[in-house]
Amino acid sequence: MMITASHRINLREHEKFITRLMTVMDKEISHCNYTRGNALNLCCLFRKRNMMRCFPSLIGIGAQKSGSTVLFARMMIDSRIYQGDKKEHHFFDFDDRWVYGASMYLRSFSQLGQQQIYEGIAAEYTPSYILPRMAMRRMRNLLPHARLLMVVRDPVDRAWSEIQMKLRNDEALVAYTQTLMANQDITSCFVKANATRFDKVFKTCVPKKLQRNSRAFSFQMRATRFFRNTTRVNDCIDQLKLSDSPGETWTHCMIVPPQNMIALEDDEHDIVQDLYKERSMLANCFKTQQRLCHGMANRKPSDISTDYLYRGLYAYHIDECWRWFPKEQLLVVENEEVKSEPDAVMQKILRHAGLPPVDAGNDEDAWKEFRKHYPGFEDSTGWKHSKPMPDIPPKVRDFLLYFYEKPSQRLEELIGRKFPHW
């Protein structure tokens, strides 16, 4: 089944399709159906204990470093909005999660009673859903009824905020790698093991305490690529013969400078050079005046994990979303609105989701609720609430201002509103 924005959805036919799909994937599912209460929900009945779980009817799709976490924390105060077991599921944009099927995704959301389904909705927020084309296509075919939410921020500030977050992550990764690779027992175990399944090698070679570090997953991703390359490993072993610091030498071989890591020194010149490289990849989008950067949108998430410029091309991403979803199913709000008028923004989101407006609560309650549900989120992502940022270096700001001038004008024309704060 392939559904685009122009298709009229027959809910009964789609209900039958989802029931066939889910009952094949999960033998514990009896059937799935749409339920209309305050909002439209797609839920499945599990045979065991006669329980119901619902797919999210409200999905945040972007943009990273634009205030999505702040907004989601606000949403969590509302007892009618049910969250999953993680803030960012990455179900539609990560192939390795998509292949496990919709049953796994559904099971990550809470069990609900009939009254809860009638009064509320399930929701999730993964800000990278807006980037790869496949995510929107997958989402439309599985959840054509979903209401989408996107927060946009001055793209210059957004890019700089992301650069700072990635720098924090990179610094933490280097420190973690040096700690591991300074241990001769661990490095010997890595070299001798079969790196084709490095996840198993990692569990065998690394003490459990170090396995629980928030940078462990990032280390495994880079180490997998490194140890599969016998030439790089042998070159590094040769360098170790002349080194007094094995931890630093291994780290330099493995991740400094890696293919997708920004300059660790936070040097103005190096950052600008990284941005120039990305701009050259995007050049065809502007030369041919395409409505969408087709080559960029087709890339895998791992390829766009450090695309600071691409994430701020909001008009291109919204265009792609509208290929698959009707325009009225996407709500775009501005980061400045969230900060200056949080209550008004929350009322707008609730109406968009089909829920009657209620008191939106306050920031203190929001963060208390968020940290209770997702205690490891800040450590695992490098995200920091209200962390002061250094000023943008003049050359970086000038580059970003020039780059985003026309894309920002395109966004204003596309959605019919001005952004005076940018």
Side-chain angles (χ1 to χ4, degrees):
M1 179 179 289
M2 185 67 69
I3 308 172
T4 62
S6 60
H7 282 89
R8 293 176 63 89
I9 304 301
N10 184 315
L11 294 183
R12 292 304 165 204
E13 289 300 316
H14 189 260
E15 195 177 83
K16 293 177 183 177
F17 164 73
I18 293 297
T19 294
R20 290 195 300 270
L21 176 70
M22 298 301 290
T23 52
V24 169
M25 286 184 178
D26 195 328
K27 299 302 181 184
E28 291 189 20
I29 293 178
S30 170
H31 66 271
C32 304
N33 62 277
Y34 280 101
T35 303
R36 187 177 291 280
N38 284 332
L40 185 63
N41 289 307
L42 176 59
C43 308
C44 296
L45 176 68
F46 286 73
R47 303 177 197 278
K48 190 175 181 179
R49 295 193 297 274
N50 204 34
M51 65 181 185
M52 298 283 286
R53 295 182 191 268
C54 297
F55 287 104
S57 295
L58 177 63
I59 303 177
I61 60 174
Q64 187 188 46
K65 305 308 296 178
S66 294
S68 63
T69 304
V70 174
L71 197 56
F72 191 70
R74 277 268 182 173
M75 291 163 57
M76 291 178 68
I77 303 175
D78 194 323
S79 61
R80 302 167 301 171
I81 299 178
Y82 308 104
Q83 306 83 34
D85 57 11
K86 54 182 72 72
K87 186 251 173 181
E88 298 180 11
H89 289 257
H90 290 287
F91 174 63
F92 296 102
D93 61 336
F94 280 15
D95 288 345
D96 58 347
R97 297 187 184 179
W98 174 256
V99 296
Y100 281 110
S103 173
M104 181 204 70
Y105 183 54
L106 179 62
R107 283 178 176 272
S108 66
F109 292 91
S110 306
Q111 303 174 27
L112 301 176
Q114 290 292 343
Q115 189 66 22
Q116 291 173 305
I117 293 172
Y118 179 81
E119 293 179 352
I121 57 170
E124 72 128 317
Y125 209 126
T126 303
S128 59
Y129 280 160
I130 195 66
L131 296 175
R133 179 183 306 163
M134 62 186 179
M136 290 291 99
R137 183 175 69 242
R138 290 168 174 174
M139 193 182 300
R140 177 62 168 166
N141 284 278
L142 182 66
L143 305 175
H145 71 292
R147 312 296 287 188
L148 309 182
L149 173 64
M150 182 175 180
V151 187
V152 295
R153 177 185 183 182
D154 181 340
V156 174
D157 293 337
R158 194 220 65 81
W160 181 242
S161 179
E162 184 180 357
I163 288 170
Q164 292 303 304
M165 183 181 74
K166 293 290 172 60
L167 283 166
R168 291 194 299 271
N169 287 343
D170 290 349
E171 289 164 358
L173 176 60
V174 166
Y176 178 67
T177 303
Q178 288 179 350
T179 299
L180 286 184
M181 304 310 286
N183 186 314
Q184 189 172 356
D185 291 337
I186 294 177
T187 55
S188 298
C189 185
F190 283 164
V191 172
K192 293 176 183 177
N194 179 2
T196 56
R197 285 301 305 275
F198 195 82
D199 54 340
K200 292 184 177 181
V201 173
F202 182 80
K203 290 179 181 178
T204 302
C205 299
V206 178
K208 288 186 177 180
K209 184 178 179 180
L210 291 173
Q211 290 181 29
R212 292 192 289 267
N213 188 284
S214 60
R215 302 272 73 84
F217 179 74
S218 297
F219 171 82
Q220 289 182 65
M221 296 289 287
R222 297 183 191 279
T224 298
R225 292 193 293 268
F226 174 75
F227 282 104
R228 283 177 180 171
N229 189 325
T230 307
T231 302
R232 288 184 64 192
V233 174
N234 290 335
D235 287 346
C236 195
I237 292 174
D238 289 339
Q239 292 178 39
L240 285 167
K241 297 174 183 177
L242 305 174
S243 172
D244 295 327
S245 180
E248 290 184 10
T249 302
W250 276 112
T251 301
H252 188 274
C253 292
M254 293 172 66
I255 64 172
V256 182
Q259 185 177 358
N260 290 321
M261 180 185 276
I262 198 165
L264 280 169
E265 295 78 13
D266 196 7
D267 178 80
E268 178 180 10
H269 173 76
D270 290 337
I271 292 173
V272 171
Q273 289 305 307
D274 285 335
L275 296 175
Y276 268 113
K277 290 177 185 176
E278 186 184 346
R279 189 182 71 172
S280 66
M281 297 172 65
L282 290 161
N284 288 335
C285 299
F286 301 99
K287 287 180 180 177
T288 58
Q289 295 298 308
Q290 296 180 44
R291 293 175 65 248
L292 178 75
C293 302
H294 293 285
M296 307 297 282
N298 280 327
R299 290 186 300 162
K300 297 179 180 179
S302 59
D303 298 326
I304 56 179
S305 60
T306 51
D307 279 353
Y308 308 102
L309 301 179
Y310 183 61
R311 291 176 185 268
L313 298 175
Y314 306 130
Y316 293 98
H317 304 321
I318 291 173
D319 252 349
E320 176 63 12
C321 179
W322 285 349
R323 284 189 62 207
W324 302 100
F325 283 89
K327 292 183 179 181
E328 63 270 15
Q329 285 183 230
L330 172 66
L331 174 65
V332 179
V333 298
E334 186 189 1
N335 173 268
E336 286 295 329
E337 291 180 90
V338 178
K339 291 191 290 187
S340 62
E341 302 176 28
D343 292 342
V345 170
M346 276 307 305
Q347 305 312 317
K348 190 186 299 185
I349 292 171
L350 291 174
R351 286 192 294 270
H352 178 64
L355 301 179
V358 295
D359 179 33
N362 57 60
D363 283 346
E364 184 178 347
D365 291 339
W367 289 118
K368 184 178 179 181
E369 190 71 14
F370 184 85
R371 290 188 171 110
K372 182 178 76 174
H373 279 78
Y374 310 116
F377 180 78
E378 295 182 50
D379 287 338
S380 63
T381 62
W383 179 90
K384 297 295 180 185
H385 175 48
S386 300
K387 181 179 178 64
M389 283 196 304
D391 292 336
I392 306 179
K395 290 182 180 179
V396 177
R397 174 174 285 280
D398 291 344
F399 178 96
L400 293 171
L401 283 171
Y402 180 78
F403 178 83
Y404 282 120
E405 182 180 4
K406 290 184 178 179
S408 294
Q409 292 173 1
R410 168 79 176 115
L411 175 66
E412 291 180 342
E413 294 168 359
L414 186 69
I415 65 175
R417 61 174 293 186
K418 298 290 185 180
F419 296 97
H421 301 292
W422 297 6

